[in-house]
Amino acid sequence: MSSKLWARALSVVVEHPVRVAFFGSLLLSLIAVLGAATVGRDAAFYLTIAQDAQARGPKAAFELFNWSWFPLLLAATHSVSRLPVELSAYLWCSFFAAGTCALLVDCVRQRSVRLAPWACLVVLAMPAFNEFRGEILREFGFWFFCVLAIWLAMRWQVRGGWLRAANVHLAIVAASAFRLEALLLLPALGLWQMPGLWVRGQRRAILQFFALPLLGVVLGAVLVSITGGFSSERVDYYLSLINPGSVLTSFDLLREQFANSLINKYSQGEAGRIIFFGMLAAMAISFVGLTGPFAVPFLLGRNWRVITIYCREYRPFAWAAVLYLLILMLFFIQQQFMITRYMSFLNLLFVPALALGLQMFARQFPRLGKVLVAVCLLVMLSNVVSTGAGKTQYIDAGRWMAANVDPNAPAYFDDGRIGYYAGRGYLISEFTREEAMSPANAGKFRYFFIEARGNEPWLTGWLAERNLRIVERFANRRGATVLVIGQ
């Protein structure tokens, strides 16, 4: 009976990979959300902005965050549907994720019908994308509209038309409302179309594609001249990231700091190369880690020809990947840190290549291919099923605060989610814990909500010195504890 069910499930995936990707994604998101004990830091921040926008209007959102289009979407959804803001956020993120999966599989299906089922497995199991399913992030909208823009561009290439070309750019604008780096798709898709300039029959198509961006630039210039200029902290921030002078200054500063830390002075001249290639290596390691078991086929050198096929058949993805890698590198140099969530879009752009590699591996090693597929299915579940202890201590501490602490009483939080669950909203403290508990600032707070066990010598001495005590403590199943300190 089980073998028949597996055969039936396999036939459904082969016959309807796009539908399976969409509804499978919704199911995985449901599992992840049901297993989420608390919202993440970013989620609490966005939800707070959305709630503030409901109470004080849209302008209030930009007072808290200079690119608040996602929170405004949540606020508008609540106003129309009356659904709780948190539920609205989970619904939007789940449908954005499902749409991203379906569009990616359909992009692959347009080039190769037989490859689509493998792409379906990749999008549903790859950790880069699926490990965030239980979270509320504006990246989901960014990923969806970016992939939608590429999907529309591939359809426009086949069918043409001014309206289809305009839809591509509207999707890019929508993606940039979530993350401004989505604008990289304009030069990426432009580079994809550039060879058509030398082909007489394709020049009309080139005009269709570039007409709307050029019109936008003209209208933007007119608007700037009328209003006397345009200023946005977010735009200025991104412009500073790609400013060559700023990049070189940051890199030189980083190179000097690293060179001064080297013991051997003969190695100081190599500091720049060490840093540059070290950053590339760090990003490559993160990329492979986020790829998960789908990196296995590329352990065989002969499977690297997949990259050539990918660059030829999926050029919009390839150009976007190249430019996004450049943006990641600039960010890494300027900010000197990188998180996996920023890398995830690069992995999504490589879905066609990963599907090709998986298909090739299964043909070369049929038995090992089945084992690899089984491992991928296990990874798919592990991405959304959490066996760890949830961070319930934040919820318990927040609820205790809401019930026992005056709303006007000043309090310090190690984690802003405590304030969110207390009904105060997620606020980023201007102080670190050390600064808040220092003699200069400790008197500014009536309560301290800190993460500690309570028996640390430094804390015992500090409590005695300030004549304070541990009022309450909240712990999760693993013992992670939030202490409430007060009079």
Side-chain angles (χ1 to χ4, degrees):
M1 184 64 179
S2 61
S3 61
K4 291 182 178 180
L5 288 175
W6 278 111
R8 177 57 181 165
L10 181 60
S11 66
V12 171
V13 174
V14 172
E15 294 173 7
H16 308 287
V18 178
R19 295 181 186 179
V20 172
F22 183 83
F23 291 106
S25 176
L26 287 179
L27 178 60
L28 291 173
S29 294
L30 176 62
I31 295 171
V33 171
L34 291 177
T38 59
V39 298
R41 293 173 184 266
D42 287 350
F45 181 55
Y46 299 143
L47 294 171
T48 297
I49 296 173
Q51 293 165 353
D52 208 40
Q54 292 171 17
R56 301 195 292 127
K59 289 185 178 180
F62 290 93
E63 294 175 3
L64 295 174
F65 183 46
N66 54 29
W67 208 250
S68 290
W69 305 109
F70 177 49
L72 287 178
L73 172 65
L74 303 182
T77 304
H78 171 76
S79 299
V80 173
S81 66
R82 310 314 300 176
L83 291 173
V85 176
E86 189 172 320
L87 177 59
S88 300
Y90 277 124
L91 288 174
W92 274 115
C93 291
S94 297
F95 279 101
F96 280 145
T100 301
C101 292
L103 289 171
L104 280 168
V105 174
D106 197 57
C107 285
V108 173
R109 186 193 61 80
Q110 291 180 39
R111 293 290 189 266
S112 173
V113 175
R114 293 183 178 180
L115 189 61
W118 297 104
C120 180
L121 179 60
V122 173
V123 297
L124 294 179
M126 185 170 59
F129 177 71
N130 293 279
E131 66 181 6
F132 299 110
R133 285 189 178 276
E135 300 186 34
I136 297 171
L137 301 169
R138 58 195 174 105
E139 275 77 6
F140 284 108
F142 164 65
W143 294 331
F144 170 73
F145 284 107
C146 283
V147 176
L148 176 62
I150 296 175
W151 181 81
L152 290 169
M154 293 175 68
R155 288 172 62 86
W156 165 80
Q157 184 192 33
V158 176
R159 302 181 182 182
W162 289 92
L163 182 59
R164 291 189 180 91
N167 287 337
V168 174
H169 300 295
L170 290 177
I172 295 174
V173 171
S176 66
F178 290 88
R179 296 200 69 91
L180 197 58
E181 55 263 39
L183 294 177
L184 73 90
L185 290 178
L186 286 173
L189 296 177
L191 289 169
W192 170 49
Q193 289 297 310
M194 285 302 290
L197 287 174
W198 289 270
V199 181
R200 180 175 299 179
Q202 295 185 12
R203 289 174 184 171
R204 178 182 175 84
I206 298 294
L207 177 62
Q208 288 179 356
F209 186 83
F210 285 104
L212 189 60
L214 290 175
L215 178 62
V217 170
V218 173
L219 292 177
V222 172
L223 181 63
V224 169
S225 64
I226 293 175
T227 59
F230 172 77
S231 177
S232 170
E233 293 181 13
R234 203 67 179 177
V235 174
D236 293 341
Y237 167 72
Y238 276 95
L239 290 177
S240 68
L241 284 181
I242 62 176
N243 183 293
S246 177
V247 173
L248 290 175
T249 300
S250 297
F251 187 78
D252 284 341
L253 178 61
L254 186 60
R255 179 184 56 80
E256 290 178 7
Q257 291 174 342
F258 181 68
N260 293 334
S261 69
L262 295 175
I263 298 176
N264 194 326
K265 65 178 182 179
Y266 298 105
S267 300
Q268 294 179 357
E270 301 294 323
R273 279 187 284 271
I274 293 173
I275 291 174
F276 181 78
F277 289 106
M279 286 181 169
L280 282 179
M283 292 171 63
I285 292 171
S286 296
F287 178 86
V288 173
L290 291 171
T291 302
F294 300 104
V296 171
F298 296 93
L299 295 176
L300 300 175
R302 56 185 172 178
N303 288 342
W304 280 86
R305 67 179 184 273
V306 161
I307 303 300
T308 303
I309 301 173
Y310 167 74
C311 293
R312 183 180 68 247
E313 298 294 332
Y314 300 92
R315 287 183 182 176
F317 287 90
W319 276 117
V322 169
L323 294 186
Y324 191 67
L325 178 61
L326 177 61
I327 287 178
L328 288 176
M329 196 64 188
L330 293 176
F331 178 86
F332 207 165
I333 292 172
Q334 294 270 39
Q335 301 298 318
Q336 299 180 17
F337 80 95
M338 180 62 59
I339 59 177
T340 57
R341 196 170 75 236
Y342 296 163
M343 291 287 300
S344 295
F345 184 56
L346 187 63
N347 289 76
L348 284 177
L349 292 171
F350 271 91
V351 163
L354 298 175
L356 279 166
L358 188 59
Q359 181 192 52
M360 194 172 293
F361 184 83
R363 288 178 177 175
Q364 295 165 346
F365 308 99
R367 292 184 179 179
L368 286 177
K370 292 178 181 179
V371 173
L372 182 58
V373 169
V375 172
C376 293
L377 293 174
L378 291 175
V379 171
M380 180 192 302
L381 292 176
S382 69
N383 288 329
V384 296
V385 177
S386 176
T387 57
K391 298 179 180 180
T392 55
Q393 69 271 23
Y394 300 142
I395 301 176
D396 296 336
R399 290 174 177 172
W400 182 91
M401 182 180 187
N404 298 279
V405 177
D406 187 321
N408 297 318
Y412 168 78
F413 310 105
D414 261 356
D415 194 297
R417 284 174 287 185
I418 298 172
Y420 170 76
Y421 285 110
R424 294 191 174 198
Y426 183 88
L427 299 176
I428 301 175
S429 177
E430 59 180 312
F431 301 113
T432 64
R433 179 199 287 188
E434 290 73 18
E435 292 171 341
M437 300 178 74
S438 66
N441 298 311
K444 298 178 181 179
F445 303 101
R446 190 180 302 177
Y447 291 92
F448 296 84
F449 290 75
I450 66 170
E451 298 181 65
R453 294 185 177 181
N455 56 357
E456 294 93 331
W458 69 268
L459 181 58
T460 303
W462 184 83
L463 291 172
E465 180 183 345
R466 304 294 305 179
N467 195 27
L468 296 173
R469 64 187 180 90
I470 297 175
V471 178
E472 190 59 85
R473 65 181 69 213
F474 304 95
N476 67 357
R477 289 190 293 108
R478 294 290 178 87
T481 304
V482 170
L483 303 177
V484 182
I485 297 174
Q487 292 289 346

